[in-house]
Amino acid sequence: MELLLLLSLALFADAMVMDEKVKSGVELDTASAICNYDEHYKDHTKYWCRGYFRDSCNIIAFTPNSTNRVALKDTGKQLIITVSCLVKEDTGWYWCGIQRDFARDDMDFTQLIVTDNREDRATGFSPDPSGNRTRSCRTSKAVQKAESSRMSILVICILITGLGIIFIISHLSRGRRSQRNREVTGKSINRNQQASQAPSIPLATI
């Protein structure tokens, strides 16, 4: 009986608990969230996903992997999620989860609200007070814009070069056709002249 009770608690208890249900962040800041879980699940894979419904949320990253802006750290008691370079499009519902073999994944959620007004900061996602990451995000965006501009210029140059090559080839082709036409016309004129200059043969009289 006790074994059955412990098993039920393990299956239905909230193994993953988000630190706060509503969080605020500011554009270009770095943010973090903490999900506490039972040490029994320290060796289980954890993940961070986005979506209003838990069963259909889009998984962003699994432990121990991270993405360009989302880093996951599993301490054995907590899953720490760090999001860098926040943008307004990051506003939404998020879940931290634990994969379980013989039960439904244990998950808990939070709502993230990203604003562009630094006076609207609240507890939860804690921005980097040094501002280094903010400058880094701005620099990264500037680099991306510069790379995009260079790529656009490169594409335009390639198109112009291609059109120039096509124009030159077309011009040369027309010149060759014109030369051939002149040669054919000259030959036909010569033949006509030779035919007109040929002596006429008088008809034999009967």
Side-chain angles (χ1 to χ4, degrees):
M1 184 64 179
E2 293 180 358
L3 180 60
L4 180 61
L5 180 59
L6 290 175
L7 181 60
S8 300
L9 289 175
L11 291 177
F12 299 104
D14 292 332
M16 180 71 82
V17 179
M18 181 75 70
D19 57 346
E20 293 183 359
K21 297 301 183 184
V22 179
K23 298 176 178 293
S24 295
V26 181
E27 278 190 311
L28 301 181
D29 272 335
T30 297
S32 61
I34 299 176
C35 296
N36 299 286
Y37 63 86
D38 192 297
E39 292 186 42
H40 174 75
Y41 297 103
K42 65 180 181 179
D43 295 327
H44 287 235
T45 299
K46 288 84 179 178
Y47 55 88
W48 177 250
C49 65
R50 178 176 184 174
Y52 186 80
F53 298 103
R54 57 173 287 164
D55 293 328
S56 60
C57 67
N58 181 35
I59 296 178
I60 299 172
F62 289 95
T63 55
N65 301 317
S66 300
T67 67
N68 291 334
R69 295 198 302 123
V70 178
L72 303 183
K73 181 180 179 181
D74 190 356
T75 66
K77 295 181 179 179
Q78 295 177 328
L79 176 64
I80 302 174
I81 303 97
T82 303
V83 184
S84 60
C85 301
L86 290 173
V87 294
K88 281 189 176 181
E89 289 74 15
D90 291 327
T91 296
W93 296 84
Y94 293 85
W95 298 80
C96 52
I98 300 175
Q99 285 190 338
R100 298 197 289 185
D101 296 330
F102 303 105
R104 190 184 188 190
D105 289 357
D106 198 287
M107 304 171 68
D108 200 9
F109 70 92
T110 187
Q111 182 184 15
L112 170 62
I113 302 173
V114 180
T115 65
D116 57 1
N117 186 352
R118 294 182 176 273
E119 295 180 357
D120 290 340
R121 288 178 178 172
T123 57
F125 276 98
S126 303
D128 182 0
S130 66
N132 292 332
R133 293 183 180 271
T134 298
R135 288 191 293 271
S136 175
C137 292
R138 287 174 178 161
T139 302
S140 177
K141 287 190 175 183
V143 170
Q144 290 176 358
K145 289 182 179 179
E147 290 179 351
S148 177
S149 300
R150 285 197 295 269
M151 184 62 66
S152 300
I153 293 172
L154 179 60
V155 170
I156 292 173
C157 291
I158 292 174
L159 289 175
I160 292 174
T161 303
L163 291 174
I165 293 173
I166 292 172
F167 175 78
I168 293 172
I169 293 174
S170 176
H171 181 71
L172 292 175
S173 298
R174 285 199 299 269
R176 290 177 180 175
R177 285 197 299 269
S178 299
Q179 185 177 358
R180 288 176 183 174
N181 291 334
R182 286 196 297 269
E183 291 175 354
V184 171
T185 303
K187 289 180 180 179
S188 63
I189 292 174
N190 291 333
R191 288 175 183 174
N192 292 333
Q193 289 177 350
Q194 291 174 0
S196 63
Q197 293 175 359
S200 58
I201 301 175
L203 295 175
T205 58
I206 299 176

